[in-house]
Amino acid sequence: MNELYCTSFVFKATRYEEYRDGQCTGQGDISVKIISKTVNNRTAFPYKFAMFHLEGELPTSIKRNFGIPVFGRERGDILEDRIQYGRIPDNFSWNDPTDPIVCNIFANKTCIRFAMMNPLRIVEFFGCFVLIGD
């Protein structure tokens, strides 16, 4: 997983699943590219951001362009089975239900998950990495 942490990549998704309240609310075949690049924005925040761009026919309501904070290895970004950018806040209201606040990149390199709030839901994209690094 270390080769993926804070590294630019392109992930080609061929299938998705969406969950809300533990129930699958959507699934199917897709053709979506997830493009990510990590940027430093030290003028506004003391940490990096993983910037994402989604191309293709999105099967669900999710932003095409967004950023998620990278808190650092020492703050738990690398878990046993995944990389995690962002966190779900303890008590925070999020007005935009299409804006992802967490990204999980799983160690098996076949799944990328985004979590959105209000209502809390996750969208999992299944596929493979077609490019890792610049």
Side-chain angles (χ1 to χ4, degrees):
M1 282 192 310
N2 288 329
E3 75 274 9
L4 286 172
Y5 184 68
C6 289
T7 302
S8 299
F9 65 78
V10 176
F11 183 86
K12 173 84 168 115
T14 56
R15 191 169 60 85
Y16 87 101
E17 294 177 2
E18 181 173 357
Y19 293 88
R20 182 175 169 187
D21 297 326
Q23 300 293 319
C24 183
T25 58
Q27 63 181 333
D29 294 334
I30 56 169
S31 179
V32 172
K33 262 200 251 181
I34 300 171
I35 302 163
S36 178
K37 180 177 184 175
T38 304
V39 297
N40 242 342
N41 188 3
R42 297 222 181 260
T43 57
F45 301 100
Y47 41 80
K48 299 177 183 180
F49 277 86
M51 303 303 294
F52 293 91
H53 173 70
L54 281 59
E55 291 181 356
E57 292 294 320
L58 294 176
T60 186
S61 185
I62 185 172
K63 280 190 174 178
R64 288 189 176 273
N65 298 293
F66 54 92
I68 296 178
V70 175
F71 292 114
R73 292 174 193 263
E74 66 283 352
R75 291 188 171 170
D77 279 359
I78 297 184
L79 305 172
E80 186 175 319
D81 65 340
R82 73 191 83 171
I83 295 168
Q84 178 169 294
Y85 298 134
R87 303 291 187 273
I88 293 179
D90 291 333
N91 51 9
F92 187 79
S93 176
W94 204 260
N95 293 329
D96 188 347
T98 67
D99 193 12
I101 60 170
V102 175
C103 173
N104 294 131
I105 304 168
F106 289 89
N108 64 13
K109 297 182 184 174
T110 63
C111 180
I112 296 179
R113 174 192 293 161
F114 295 106
M116 279 113 352
M117 301 261 317
N118 197 25
L120 181 60
R121 64 190 174 98
I122 61 169
V123 178
E124 295 180 334
F125 292 94
F126 299 93
C128 63
F129 286 89
V130 294
L131 178 67
I132 298 174
D134 292 330

